[in-house]
Amino acid sequence: MSEEIKEVVAEIFIEVFEWDTLPPVESIEQSTISNWDSMKQLSLVTAIESEFEIAFNLDAAIAITSFNKAVAAVVAHTA
């Protein structure tokens, strides 16, 4: 299940950040992605919620600051 979630989240990141391919996941953090601003955060969270049919509270949405944290948030909400 977790690998499937990672694959879907990877596709969301590629779409939201308009990448051709996914960079190494350990390097995908809000502090290292120059165009990860508040609008990208909103787009990312909305896309994840829509894809997985879940809803994050404000604290959970704000805490999604990396690829790994996004995956963990989805796992926590789908368990």
Side-chain angles (χ1 to χ4, degrees):
M1 176 74 159
S2 177
E3 285 303 313
E4 184 177 312
I5 290 172
K6 284 182 183 179
E7 290 176 19
V8 175
V9 171
E11 290 300 319
I12 292 170
F13 268 79
I14 289 169
E15 181 179 325
V16 168
F17 291 100
E18 301 172 2
W19 294 329
D20 294 327
T21 59
L22 190 70
V25 294
E26 62 275 358
S27 71
I28 303 174
E29 295 187 2
Q30 191 174 28
S31 63
T32 61
I33 307 298
S34 63
N35 67 336
W36 190 333
D37 58 14
S38 59
M39 293 306 295
K40 289 291 186 188
Q41 181 75 10
L42 182 60
S43 296
L44 178 64
V45 169
T46 302
I48 292 171
E49 289 178 326
S50 178
E51 179 66 34
F52 291 98
E53 298 180 350
I54 57 178
F56 296 118
N57 64 30
L58 183 58
D59 290 336
I62 291 171
I64 297 174
T65 58
S66 70
F67 178 85
N68 290 330
K69 288 180 180 178
V71 171
V74 172
V75 169
H77 279 77
T78 58

